[in-house]
């Protein structure tokens, strides 16, 4: 694969062939990032993602021009990412819920500057300092943006270690292609679990030249990366330009899995770890003869609204399950526009239910509705 070097010229990104390896989720993200060409990592420790910066501190030492910095704070880390990205490097930071809150201003600046970056959030229970158990309570923070201004961030929600590998590699390409940050939204369980993975699945995209990077102006006009636009008309046009880009992302980048949906009367909608649990619950419900399926959004923004809407005629109840008090359920309701009934089941605060528990709730709703 050919990528874009810091000086604007082409560099060869070597992708090593690998067989399957048993790896922990946090280290899978690190290895996938390195294989995707990430040369700069900046972060600050927080549980449950500490294995990721630990891995990057060792791994980037083996990479040409690799840079690892344990910053003095999360705010410093995200702004170091901004600087490295402006210079043309593939840069990444990671944290967990409270740490991601501190990065929000920097994420807004990355969007305003139209700079690529990959940000990993291994979500823990909250709000506040919360606990270190897995949760999905950062959905709003990721999909709505906790920073200021009209902006959007692509949000990818893996449900396995293999998807952590594939989506991390794809995140760098999406980010470079659209010049926009991408968030990997996982949780403490995905970060800590161990599964066999391969890094050979992903096919790199053809990417545009990085003709905006600040690499020295010798022999060419100066380039400026800046989101301070004091002229209101120019600021408005910049906003509309961003909106057109977000419309393009919405049109082209939606990802969603549909499981046992062909004859489903009840559709469970869940993402990430909750979707793994839900898939087990769906399989158990099917053994009882219930016509239940699963819709799993893989992109949380852009949200797969059209995929959900297309099942309105055949599905009588949309059962939304989240490991939170209910956040994605709002996007499901917006997608359906009142055309079908929505039931919500949530377990916030770091509680992880079993497929057996979920199948009981699904069966009860299915039978109560007379489906």
């Amino acid at each position: 694969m050919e990528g874009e070097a810091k000086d604007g010229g082409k560099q060869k990104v070597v992708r090593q062939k690998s067989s399957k390896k048993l790896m922990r989720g946090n280290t899978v993200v690190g290895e996938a990032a390195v294989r995707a060409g990430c040369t700069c990592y900046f972060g600050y420790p927080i549980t449950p993602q500490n294995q990721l910066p630990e891995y990057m501190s060792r791994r980037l030492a083996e990479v040409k021009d690799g840079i690892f910095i344990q910053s003095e704070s999360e705010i410093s880390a995200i702004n170091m990412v901004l600087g490295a990205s402006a210079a043309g490097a593939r840069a990444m930071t990671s944290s967990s819920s409270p740490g991601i809150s501190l990065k929000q201003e920097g994420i807004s600046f990355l969007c305003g500057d139209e700079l690529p970056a990959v940000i990993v959030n291994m979500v823990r229970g909250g709000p506040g300092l919360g606990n270190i158990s897995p949760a999905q309570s950062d959905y709003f923070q990721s999909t709505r943006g906790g920073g200021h201004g009209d902006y959007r961030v692509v949000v990818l929600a893996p449900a396995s270690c293999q998807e952590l590998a594939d989506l991390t590699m794809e995140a760098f390409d999406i980010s470079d292609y659209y010049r926009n940050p991408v968030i990997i939204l996982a949780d403490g369980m995905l970060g800590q679990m161990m599964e066999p993975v391969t890094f050979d699945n992903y096919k790199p995209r053809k990417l545009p030249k990085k003709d905006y990077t600040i690499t020295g102006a010798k022999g060419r006009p100066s380039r400026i990366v800046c989101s301070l636009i004091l002229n209101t008309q120019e600021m408005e046009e910049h906003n509309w330009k961003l909106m057109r880009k977000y419309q393009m992302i919405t049109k082209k980048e939606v990802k969603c899995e549909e499981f046992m949906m062909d004859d489903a009367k009840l559709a469970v909608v869940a993402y990430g770890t909750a979707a793994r649990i839900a898939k087990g619950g769906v399989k158990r419900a099917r053994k009882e003869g219930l016509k239940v399926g699963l819709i799993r959004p893989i992109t949380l923004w852009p949200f797969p609204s059209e995929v959900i809407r297309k099942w309105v005629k055949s599905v009588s109840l949309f059962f939304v399950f989240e490991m939170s008090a209910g956040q994605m359920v709002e996007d499901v309701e917006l997608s359906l526009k009142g055309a079908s009934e929505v039931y919500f089941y949530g377990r916030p605060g770091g509680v992880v239910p079993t497929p057996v528990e979920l199948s009981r709730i699904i069966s009860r709703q299915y039978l109560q509705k007379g489906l």
Side-chain angles (χ1 to χ4, degrees):
M1 171 199 176
E2 284 189 342
E4 196 68 18
K6 294 178 185 178
D7 61 0
K10 288 184 177 178
Q11 64 179 4
K12 198 167 187 177
V13 177
V14 178
R15 296 189 185 277
Q16 303 169 6
K17 286 285 183 183
S18 66
S19 56
K20 281 198 171 184
K21 296 179 180 178
L22 185 64
M23 294 182 71
R24 190 184 301 277
N26 282 326
T27 57
V28 169
V29 174
E31 181 60 27
V34 170
R35 290 177 184 247
C38 173
T39 56
C40 294
Y41 175 92
F42 312 102
Y44 186 81
I46 183 172
T47 306
Q49 61 85 57
N50 283 333
Q51 292 92 357
L52 176 50
E54 180 185 7
Y55 186 84
M56 295 301 273
S57 68
R58 177 181 64 78
R59 190 68 174 89
L60 281 176
E62 303 168 350
V63 174
K64 185 176 183 295
D65 298 327
I67 296 172
F68 170 89
I69 295 178
Q70 180 181 313
S71 57
E72 62 268 42
S73 72
E74 289 86 349
I75 297 171
S76 300
I78 191 67
N79 284 292
M80 290 177 185
V81 167
L82 189 151
S85 179
R90 280 193 156 180
M92 181 173 80
T93 186
S94 65
S95 191
S96 184
S97 307
I100 296 295
S101 298
L102 293 169
K103 297 179 189 290
Q104 295 300 327
E105 182 186 58
I107 294 172
S108 172
F109 273 64
L110 282 162
C111 291
D113 290 332
E114 294 194 86
L115 290 174
V118 174
I119 301 140
V120 181
N121 184 2
M122 293 294 178
V123 181
R124 56 192 250 174
L129 202 54
N131 57 38
I132 60 171
S133 297
Q136 295 184 319
S137 46
D138 292 358
Y139 182 92
F140 283 157
Q141 182 197 56
S142 299
T143 60
R144 270 55 172 176
H148 57 283
D150 281 332
Y151 74 88
R152 287 289 193 175
V153 176
V154 177
V155 183
L156 304 177
S160 66
C161 285
Q162 186 58 60
E163 281 196 346
L164 280 172
D166 298 341
L167 292 178
T168 297
M169 297 174 90
E170 187 168 13
F172 280 97
D173 279 4
I174 293 173
S175 185
D176 271 346
Y177 189 86
Y178 294 102
R179 291 180 57 182
N180 204 71
V182 175
I183 289 179
I184 305 289
L185 189 68
D187 58 59
M189 179 171 284
L190 281 166
Q192 296 298 321
M193 70 168 55
M194 296 186 75
E195 290 182 324
V197 297
T198 176
F199 297 95
D200 297 337
N201 291 345
Y202 184 64
K203 296 180 180 176
R205 300 186 182 198
K206 186 176 181 181
L207 299 174
K209 287 184 177 180
K210 289 188 174 182
D211 57 2
Y212 57 89
T213 55
I214 302 170
T215 55
K218 186 176 181 180
R220 61 166 174 76
S222 298
R223 296 167 178 166
I224 297 174
V225 175
C226 180
S227 61
L228 178 64
I229 305 172
L230 295 176
N231 183 295
T232 53
Q233 289 183 335
E234 291 179 9
M235 191 72 230
E236 181 184 32
E237 179 49 39
H238 183 57
N239 273 268
W240 288 127
K241 178 189 174 190
L242 294 178
M243 290 303 119
R244 289 191 291 272
K245 175 167 69 177
Y246 301 149
Q247 288 171 356
M248 184 66 69
I249 295 172
T250 301
K251 185 177 179 181
K252 292 190 172 182
E253 300 297 341
V254 171
K255 297 180 187 298
C256 185
E257 178 191 5
E258 298 161 87
F259 177 71
M260 292 186 170
M261 282 298 298
D262 288 346
D263 62 344
K265 299 295 182 186
L266 183 152
V268 181
V269 186
Y271 70 93
T273 293
R276 290 174 70 110
I277 299 166
K279 188 172 282 188
V282 167
K283 289 177 180 176
R284 293 182 73 88
R286 282 279 174 176
K287 287 181 180 177
E288 297 172 10
L290 308 184
K291 294 181 177 178
V292 179
L294 170 69
I295 301 173
R296 179 172 71 94
I298 298 173
T299 50
L300 302 183
W301 194 87
F303 193 72
S305 296
E306 290 187 10
V307 176
I308 291 174
R309 247 192 325 266
K310 79 178 183 183
W311 294 107
V312 163
K313 290 183 179 178
S314 58
V315 171
S316 300
L317 180 64
F318 288 83
F319 182 111
V320 180
F321 167 50
E322 298 177 68
M323 286 156 52
S324 74
Q327 299 189 15
M328 182 186 70
V329 63
E330 291 190 8
D331 280 337
V332 175
E333 290 173 335
L334 286 168
S335 301
L336 293 171
K337 300 178 180 177
S340 185
E341 187 176 354
V342 176
Y343 176 83
F344 173 72
Y345 182 69
R347 298 300 303 270
V351 175
V352 182
T354 65
V356 174
E357 174 186 329
L358 195 65
S359 69
R360 282 203 293 265
I361 307 296
I362 291 170
S363 299
R364 188 168 66 200
Q365 286 298 311
Y366 191 99
L367 297 174
Q368 283 181 353
K369 298 296 178 186
L371 302 179

